[in-house]
Amino acid sequence: MILPIYTYGQPVLRKIAEDIDKDYPNLDNLISDMWETLASSEGIGLAAPQIGLAIRLVVIDLDLLKDDLPEYEGFKKVFINPHIVEYDKNKTDSSQEGCLSLPAIRENVVRPTRIRVKYQDKDFNEYDEWIEGYLARVMQHEFDHLDGTMFIDRLSPLRKQLIKSKLRSLLQGRFRTSYKVKPPRK
């Protein structure tokens, strides 16, 4: 089932998400719905808060980028209870980011190019690994959602000021998307 994506101004996007266990109700269906929602929105990542659930669950599909980044062909992964435990701040990169919860806003964001993450897969197997490159950027963006952070929070005060009218339009529901959304109440 395709779920609506919560947009900027929805309180759930600012909550700290909670870890879940294998007894979380209908987890397989939820993951399936998240994949379907992500595909219909043509995104590459979706965090549970973006569909209104303050739980630590993320799906990432980088296969869409295989023509430009062939190393991600077939990359489609579920991350349960992910946490970034370390940032390698020796090297950072600035790259443009967008977000399904912030339609029509794209800005350059500086992030470390290498991070250490702990997470569980869909079978609750545990992982502790260093991730680098584009996947590290996507993980940071999606895992930020689990901590109530959006990429616009990582912009300079000047850039935030320059997009203020776009954010106001989002809050007022004055925007269009090709996917289902749940904007904040006016």
Side-chain angles (χ1 to χ4, degrees):
M1 172 174 40
I2 297 172
L3 304 169
I5 294 175
Y6 285 53
T7 58
Y8 178 74
Q10 284 282 4
V12 70
L13 295 173
R14 295 304 190 174
K15 288 185 178 173
I16 304 239
E18 296 182 14
D19 283 354
I20 59 173
D21 61 27
K22 26 182 110 163
D23 296 326
Y24 189 83
N26 300 311
L27 182 57
D28 287 339
N29 289 340
L30 174 59
I31 291 169
S32 177
D33 290 347
M34 287 179 72
W35 283 126
E36 196 173 340
T37 302
L38 182 62
S40 76
S41 64
E42 298 180 357
I44 59 171
L46 184 67
Q50 293 180 277
I51 56 162
L53 299 172
I55 60 171
R56 297 190 81 83
L57 175 62
V58 168
V59 296
I60 295 175
D61 182 356
L62 296 184
D63 187 62
L64 296 169
L65 308 174
K66 67 185 173 202
D67 291 342
D68 295 324
L69 300 168
E71 65 270 30
Y72 293 118
E73 183 171 358
F75 186 96
K76 187 174 177 178
K77 200 165 183 178
V78 175
F79 297 89
I80 297 175
N81 302 324
H83 294 271
I84 297 174
V85 293
E86 194 174 343
Y87 294 88
D88 180 350
K89 295 185 179 176
N90 291 323
K91 187 176 177 201
T92 60
D93 176 53
S94 178
S95 190
Q96 195 173 80
E97 293 186 20
C99 181
L100 297 172
S101 294
L102 292 158
I105 297 178
R106 297 190 64 79
E107 291 289 328
N108 284 330
V109 179
V110 176
R111 295 191 187 268
T113 58
R114 187 170 177 257
I115 56 172
R116 184 174 151 225
V117 296
K118 287 186 178 185
Y119 63 92
Q120 295 166 310
D121 64 17
K122 63 181 177 55
D123 298 317
F124 284 83
N125 296 309
E126 294 189 16
Y127 296 85
D128 180 340
E129 55 193 22
W130 282 94
I131 305 292
E132 53 189 77
Y134 190 72
L135 178 57
R137 172 172 293 280
V138 174
M139 286 176 140
Q140 288 172 80
H141 176 106
E142 297 305 330
F143 297 177
D144 270 357
H145 280 298
L146 306 178
D147 294 323
T149 301
M150 300 179 84
F151 83 85
I152 56 171
D153 301 329
R154 301 201 178 278
L155 301 177
S156 70
L158 175 60
R159 288 305 311 161
K160 283 183 194 173
Q161 190 62 35
L162 292 172
I163 64 167
K164 203 172 190 175
S165 65
K166 289 181 181 180
L167 293 173
R168 194 171 21 259
S169 292
L170 286 174
L171 288 172
Q172 295 168 348
R174 293 186 329 217
F175 61 91
R176 290 185 185 184
T177 67
S178 60
Y179 49 90
K180 286 174 35 174
V181 295
K182 184 167 177 125
R185 296 176 192 230
K186 295 181 191 176

